Amino acid sequence: MNRIENAFKNKPILMPYFPLGYPDLDTSIDVIETLAKNGADLIEVGLSFSDPLADGPVIQQATQIALEKGITVKKSMAAVAELRKRGVTIPLILMGYFNPMLAYGLEKFIHDAREAGADGFIIPDLPLEEAGEFQSMLNAGRVDREALSLSYRKVSEGGDLPLIQMLAPTSPDERMESIARNAKGFIYLVSVTGVTGARTAISDGLGDLIQRVREHTSVPVCVGFGIGTPEQAAQVGKLADGVIVGSACVKTIGGSEHPVEAAKEFAKEFRKALG
C-alpha cells in the first residue's frame, strides 16, 4: 500500500496547503513538518510561481513573498527531502504551475521529485488534454524503476507518482466522466467557480456534485476552494473523502507572529472538527 492509499484508510482526511519559502524557507519547512505531525493526513506542498492563475489574493501574496525571498524549484525539492529526513511520512503532493516545471526540465523535475520523496503532482494549468508528455514521462519512470529493483524498492515506498486531476462544477458530464474514470491517487474537486479563497458558506449543490463524480470512479474525492473554518470542514467531511484547506491555512499561519505554533493549533482544530 503506497502512502496516498494509506492516508485514506481513515476518512475524511485533512489536506492543508502551504507554500515552500513563505514567510521564509526554514519557517515553511518547520510549518509543513508541524502540520504533518499534528493532524494533517496529506499536504499540498506549494511551488511558487509569478502568475498563479487559480489562486486568490492570500496565496498569491504568499507565493510572491516566497519568490522575493529566493525560493526556487531546486530549493523546493531539497526542502521535501529535508521533510522526509525529519520523519514526515504522510503524502506530500507538489502543487504548482507548469511553466517552472518546463523551465527546470520535465524529466529532471519528475526524477528529482521522486528522489526527494514527493508522492504526486497537482498542476492547475495542465488540463488532461495537454498532459500527455508529462504523463508519459511518469510512466517511463515507472518502467525504469521496475528495471532497477533496488531503486524501485526505495521509491515504491511512496508508490507511483500520480498526476492529480481537478474537476469543477462547470465540468461537462462527458469531461467529468473521462477524467474521473482515468483518475489516480484522488480527485481534486473544486467546490466553487473562481479562484481559491475562503467563502462564508458551503455550496448547496456540493453533495450532488460529489455524487456525480463518484458515479464514474472509485478513487477518493477531495474537496477544495472555499473551506475556511473547522465547521465548514466538518460539513464537507460528511460528504467527501478529504477536505483541502488552502487560503485559510496560509492566512492563519502566515499572519501569526509564531507561525509554527499557529500551524500546530490549526492542524489540531481542523483534525478535531473532522473527527
Side-chain angles (χ1 to χ4, degrees):
M1 180 176 292
N2 68 31
R3 280 191 288 250
I4 294 178
E5 290 172 345
N6 193 53
F8 283 98
K9 285 196 299 185
N10 297 303
K11 297 181 280 191
I13 74 165
L14 172 60
M15 189 187 316
Y17 161 93
F18 201 83
L20 285 164
Y22 176 71
D24 58 70
L25 182 55
D26 290 343
T27 302
S28 67
I29 295 171
D30 291 342
V31 162
I32 292 170
E33 178 186 9
T34 300
L35 290 170
K37 294 181 177 179
N38 286 278
D41 300 291
L42 185 155
I43 295 177
E44 272 189 74
V45 176
L47 304 178
S48 294
F49 177 48
S50 58
D51 191 21
L53 297 175
D55 293 313
V58 171
I59 293 176
Q60 282 193 20
Q61 182 184 30
T63 54
Q64 185 59 41
I65 289 171
L67 289 169
E68 289 169 1
K69 293 283 184 73
I71 192 65
T72 62
V73 173
K74 185 175 181 179
K75 289 179 181 178
S76 297
M77 295 294 189
V80 172
E82 172 63 22
L83 286 162
R84 292 303 184 202
K85 288 177 187 174
R86 294 189 186 186
V88 172
T89 58
I90 67 170
L92 300 174
I93 305 293
L94 299 181
M95 193 284 195
Y97 292 81
F98 198 46
N99 269 6
M101 300 176 193
L102 275 174
Y104 191 82
L106 291 185
E107 193 169 357
K108 178 174 172 55
F109 176 78
I110 291 168
H111 173 272
D112 289 357
R114 274 201 176 100
E115 288 297 305
D119 293 281
F121 308 96
I122 297 171
I123 310 175
D125 61 341
L126 185 66
L128 182 66
E129 296 82 358
E130 298 172 19
E133 183 183 9
F134 193 87
Q135 190 62 60
S136 67
M137 288 184 181
L138 287 175
N139 295 342
R142 192 173 306 135
V143 171
D144 290 345
R145 284 182 292 128
E146 287 168 355
L148 300 167
S149 59
L150 182 61
S151 173
Y152 177 75
R153 282 199 301 274
K154 176 184 173 185
V155 183
S156 67
E157 293 171 3
D160 293 325
L161 276 63
L163 176 59
I164 306 298
Q165 295 294 331
M166 303 178 82
L167 284 170
T170 52
S171 299
D173 287 340
E174 186 176 330
R175 176 177 172 78
M176 183 173 285
E177 179 181 355
S178 175
I179 289 176
R181 189 175 61 244
N182 296 294
K184 294 181 176 63
F186 60 90
I187 287 175
Y188 189 131
L189 182 61
V190 177
S191 64
V192 292
T193 55
V195 297
T196 59
R199 267 64 169 188
T200 56
I202 298 302
S203 168
D204 290 337
L206 182 59
D208 291 339
L209 179 61
I210 292 170
Q211 188 53 43
R212 277 178 62 201
V213 176
R214 282 184 170 148
E215 287 173 5
H216 306 299
T217 186
S218 60
V219 305
V221 178
C222 300
V223 173
F225 284 47
I227 300 167
T229 67
E231 292 74 23
Q232 289 176 339
Q235 282 181 270
V236 174
K238 292 175 182 175
L239 303 169
D241 300 304
V243 176
I244 302 166
V245 191
S247 295
C249 181
V250 175
K251 185 175 182 179
T252 299
I253 295 168
S256 171
E257 292 183 5
H258 306 285
V260 175
E261 187 60 34
K264 183 177 181 179
E265 292 305 311
F266 184 92
K268 286 187 171 182
E269 283 182 21
F270 274 79
R271 180 70 269 161
K272 183 179 179 182
L274 290 173

